[in-house]
Amino acid sequence: MSSKLPYTESELVELLKLKSQRAYNYLYDNYSAAVYGVICKVISDADEAADVMQEAFIKIWRNIEQYDASKGRLFTWMINIARNLAIDYIRSSRSKNNSKTETLTEATPLAPGDYTDHIKTDHLGLNKVIDELTIEQKAIIDLAYFQGYTQEEIAKELNVPLGTVKTRARAALLKLKHLFV
Amino acid sequence: MNIQEYISSGIIENHVLGLTSPAEDAEVVKLSEQYPEVRQALREAEDALMNYALLHGKTPPANTKDKIFKALVDQGQMNETPTVDATPGFSAGIGETKTHRITRVLAIAASLLFVASVAFHLFKMADFRQQIRQLEQEKTDLIAQNETFMAQIQEAHQELDVIGDPAFKAVVLSGVPGHDDNRALVYWHNVSHTVYLKPTNLPELPTDKQYQLWGIVAGKPVSAGVYESHDSQQTLQQMIALADVEMFAITVEPVGGSKQPTLDQMVVAGKI
């Protein structure tokens, strides 16, 4: 990915902090799909997901000053913003609908195959990666990274001890690292 | 703290998945600033997850980008007119095409104005050239006129000098029978014998004829030269000096004059 960049990440961040519209344009062109993909993991309705993405990109532009490179990558920061907005959106729309007043943890537990249903893309690369991951590893990443579950929530969701969640999380990441890095 | 143990504990991986507590997050950040190995492990975990997330990318609806830029402009977060730094992908929605159109209209207007002004100046320049030619012609004419006047004044001065000199004797040459109206004046200096001729009323001659002045010396005609001018200008002309002249006469002779006067061609004559 980074080989395609005309900017290094630090240059991009610097330009964004200077409110360069060009850098922002670049950011959108290169990361909007990933951001939208993450939002779509949480919000199934495409229009609602697009609205949340708009909110996320506006927040990224407005709050770029708050991004601290020492805490992690720009991408991680952006994904966190997008995912948090998406989760907030789902929670508030659920409470508005009065269908469930419970928190996400207490919502109807996901059926075992439910989280994998989100992965519908037939992207060759993705399928290849998914084939390499175990079902457990995939579930951990989906719940933690895409759905924003806590360790406790995942433990409950998957009905495994907390320590297992931690171990699986590490194993999943090591597998990804092995595949990508 | 054993850093290798910390790295292999799984806390970094749990951190990037968002599974750690705020205290643990702070610890990871702090240690990543202190230990390059931790930072390296953190970056690798992030990049692995980023690549995984990129695989899940979905193209957002086409108008989302425009909506975002428009919203940022509306909120006063971004300039309406994209700066030079706008890229082609950054399209219509926020007035870029409008700006382009205005720029194009302005450019066309400026070009037309330029062409019009060049045409106007070329036209004016031709006009000025014409005026300069006219003025130069007028100047040439005036110089020529001036030279004519100068010549005439000089002649008049010369004539006045001659007339005003008491040593010059004016001899009136009157028309002989058949030329009764014709008349000429000869000024003759009786010391230096200088002769001047001034026709006062002589008819114009054809181009092959000239007036010739004769002095009668001791009963015989002696040529005093031909009068150069063919027109009726009554300019004073110095002739050949003659001594002991009794009488002057003018005959019409072929151009260049004759050795002997053609007597039947005598026009005027007068005694001293």
Side-chain angles (χ1 to χ4, degrees):
Chain A
M1 185 75 205
S2 57
S3 62
K4 285 195 229 162
L5 291 172
Y7 309 113
T8 64
E9 187 173 316
S10 59
E11 280 169 355
L12 183 61
V13 169
E14 207 172 311
L15 285 170
L16 287 171
K17 288 190 174 180
L18 291 169
K19 299 286 182 183
S20 160
Q21 292 187 23
R22 184 183 186 143
Y24 186 67
N25 199 48
Y26 176 86
L27 186 77
Y28 184 92
D29 287 347
N30 284 276
Y31 293 112
S32 60
V35 170
Y36 188 63
V38 167
I39 292 169
C40 287
K41 288 273 182 190
V42 181
I43 302 169
S44 52
D45 184 275
D47 289 339
E48 289 173 346
D51 286 346
V52 169
M53 189 175 81
Q54 181 177 331
E55 211 184 316
F57 267 91
I58 288 170
K59 199 168 181 181
I60 288 163
W61 173 262
R62 295 179 73 127
N63 294 352
I64 188 67
E65 277 303 324
Q66 290 171 19
Y67 166 67
D68 181 353
S70 68
K71 288 184 182 168
R73 288 218 184 274
L74 176 66
F75 182 81
T76 309
W77 181 75
M78 285 171 59
I79 292 294
N80 285 342
I81 286 176
R83 184 180 50 231
N84 291 343
L85 283 172
I87 291 167
D88 287 349
Y89 179 86
I90 285 294
R91 282 176 180 166
S92 72
S93 71
R94 270 184 192 158
S95 62
K96 267 184 215 154
N97 291 342
N98 282 332
S99 57
K100 295 269 180 191
T101 48
E102 299 93 334
T103 60
L104 188 64
T105 358
E106 288 156 335
T108 317
L110 294 166
D114 212 8
Y115 25 82
T116 51
D117 282 354
H118 286 290
I119 305 165
K120 280 175 179 161
T121 168
D122 53 6
H123 192 288
L124 264 178
L126 180 60
N127 282 339
K128 209 171 163 189
V129 170
I130 288 170
D131 287 347
E132 294 284 328
L133 295 171
T134 65
I135 290 169
E136 290 83 8
Q137 288 167 350
K138 200 158 54 189
I140 283 279
I141 294 169
D142 276 0
L143 290 172
Y145 191 62
F146 292 124
Q147 310 291 335
Y149 278 42
T150 63
Q151 279 179 341
E152 291 76 14
E153 287 164 349
I154 294 170
K156 204 170 176 181
E157 179 71 37
L158 300 178
N159 200 21
V160 291
L162 215 59
T164 305
V165 173
K166 290 182 185 178
T167 315
R168 284 187 187 171
R170 176 156 193 263
L173 253 295
L174 289 177
K175 179 63 74 66
L176 286 183
K177 223 190 270 189
H178 173 73
L179 290 170
F180 291 117
V181 183
Chain B
M1 179 186 282
N2 185 322
I3 288 305
Q4 282 313 317
E5 249 175 49
Y6 182 80
I7 290 169
S8 53
S9 73
I11 193 162
I12 291 171
E13 289 79 6
N14 277 271
H15 165 74
V16 296
L17 282 171
L19 296 176
T20 40
S21 68
E24 288 171 321
D25 291 339
E27 189 185 39
V28 171
V29 169
K30 193 177 153 223
L31 290 172
S32 75
E33 285 167 358
Q34 284 176 13
Y35 299 96
E37 308 98 292
V38 175
R39 184 160 61 242
Q40 174 72 13
L42 177 61
R43 289 292 189 216
E44 282 175 10
E46 274 190 274
D47 289 348
L49 210 46
M50 178 177 79
N51 283 310
Y52 186 64
L54 287 170
L55 286 180
H56 289 79
K58 284 176 77 176
T59 308
N63 62 347
T64 312
K65 188 178 184 182
D66 287 346
K67 277 189 189 169
I68 291 168
F69 277 95
K70 193 177 182 302
L72 283 170
V73 170
D74 290 346
Q75 291 172 20
Q77 293 283 324
M78 200 179 261
N79 294 330
E80 169 88 37
T81 20
T83 48
V84 272
D85 96 57
T87 56
F90 182 5
S91 65
I94 53 156
E96 188 181 39
T97 47
K98 196 177 154 199
T99 316
H100 274 175
R101 205 177 302 129
I102 291 167
T103 313
R104 193 162 59 231
V105 167
L106 282 177
I108 291 168
S111 324
L112 286 176
L113 202 64
F114 175 73
V115 169
S117 106
V118 166
F120 175 75
H121 281 103
L122 284 176
F123 174 77
K124 281 306 268 183
M125 210 136 89
D127 201 26
F128 286 144
R129 285 218 180 90
Q130 176 65 24
Q131 287 186 22
I132 288 168
R133 270 197 298 275
Q134 279 180 9
L135 287 170
E136 276 175 349
Q137 185 57 49
E138 280 174 29
K139 186 184 140 196
T140 311
D141 292 350
L142 283 170
I143 289 170
Q145 212 174 7
N146 188 38
E147 280 170 355
T148 310
F149 287 144
M150 288 298 284
Q152 287 178 359
I153 287 168
Q154 221 172 339
E155 282 168 14
H157 269 296
Q158 197 178 21
E159 193 172 340
L160 280 171
D161 286 347
V162 173
I163 295 167
D165 190 342
F168 273 104
K169 189 173 172 60
V171 183
V172 178
L173 278 64
S174 301
V176 296
H179 299 277
D180 299 316
D181 292 340
N182 295 136
R183 201 169 300 281
L185 278 171
V186 168
Y187 296 98
W188 181 66
H189 200 284
N190 58 5
V191 179
S192 69
H193 308 138
T194 309
V195 176
Y196 283 94
L197 171 62
K198 181 182 166 67
T200 49
N201 183 14
L202 289 179
E204 244 174 271
L205 293 177
T207 50
D208 58 336
K209 303 283 186 189
Q210 274 185 318
Y211 287 112
Q212 190 167 4
L213 181 66
W214 305 91
I216 309 300
V217 182
K220 286 182 177 172
V222 179
S223 177
V226 292
Y227 189 71
E228 299 296 339
S229 182
H230 282 278
D231 59 32
S232 55
Q233 269 186 4
Q234 302 170 5
T235 46
L236 192 72
Q237 183 186 316
Q238 187 169 9
M239 310 302 284
I240 297 163
L242 292 174
D244 307 326
V245 184
E246 299 153 10
M247 186 180 170
F248 285 104
I250 292 173
T251 58
V252 175
E253 302 292 343
V255 169
S258 305
K259 287 191 173 170
Q260 290 297 317
T262 314
L263 289 174
D264 62 347
Q265 289 297 312
M266 188 182 291
V267 184
V268 290
K271 285 182 181 167
I272 291 177

